[in-house]
Amino acid sequence: MPEAFTTRVLNVATGTAEAVTDLTRECEKFLEEAAAGRDGLLHVFVPHATAGIALIETGAGSDHDLLAALHVLLPADDRYQHRHGSPGHGRDHVLPALVPPYATLPVIGGRLELGTWQSVCLVDTNKDNVNRQVRLSFLG
């Protein structure tokens, strides 16, 4: 019988550019094993002070639109008190207040229940941190 709580850490290379990285397939693969056909919850968490998790459509430009909107809301300039790292890095530390570092999603019959165009994405504007960890946890 599968465990009631299972967790796994993904290592994600986001590189030196701002990125919206689709994690949906990795979440589905994890659930194939961890949920084993059961109902429950998938919790996705990025343990970093400068990244977040978003549910967004990808592939039709929405991921680029999100980054553009973040540039308007959080310009990469010297207005921030937090000033180490690349110019404007202080905004990266404000990002998780707008794009939280977690999402909890329903799992029905072992499958992730997302809307038609929703994808689970890692949002990373920090060009100084090229590698991220994302923890996937299933409770069911």
Side-chain angles (χ1 to χ4, degrees), residues 15-138:
T16 57
E18 296 177 352
V20 175
T21 305
D22 191 342
L23 302 174
T24 308
R25 185 65 200 127
E26 288 84 356
C27 292
E28 291 170 340
K29 282 191 236 178
F30 170 68
L31 290 172
E32 286 172 10
E33 180 183 316
R38 294 176 295 146
D39 294 351
L41 296 171
L42 173 67
H43 188 75
V44 183
F45 175 68
V46 56
H48 297 280
T50 59
I53 300 294
L55 296 181
I56 189 169
E57 177 182 7
T58 59
S62 297
D63 38 350
H64 298 290
D65 292 342
L66 172 59
L67 292 175
L70 289 172
H71 276 273
V72 171
L73 294 170
L74 301 171
D77 58 25
D78 65 354
R79 71 183 69 202
Y80 305 97
Q81 292 182 31
H82 188 105
R83 293 188 183 200
H84 73 83
S86 298
H89 174 66
R91 74 162 185 144
D92 299 328
H93 286 275
V94 178
L95 173 78
L98 301 175
V99 181
Y102 61 88
T104 302
L105 307 165
V107 176
I108 307 297
R111 296 180 53 96
L112 190 56
E113 285 292 308
L114 294 173
T116 302
W117 303 112
Q118 287 180 317
S119 295
V120 180
C121 296
L122 170 64
V123 179
D124 186 2
T125 59
N126 183 354
K127 301 176 203 176
D128 297 335
N129 193 343
V130 299
N131 296 300
R132 298 296 188 162
Q133 291 187 334
V134 178
R135 179 172 296 278
L136 305 178
S137 300
F138 174 73

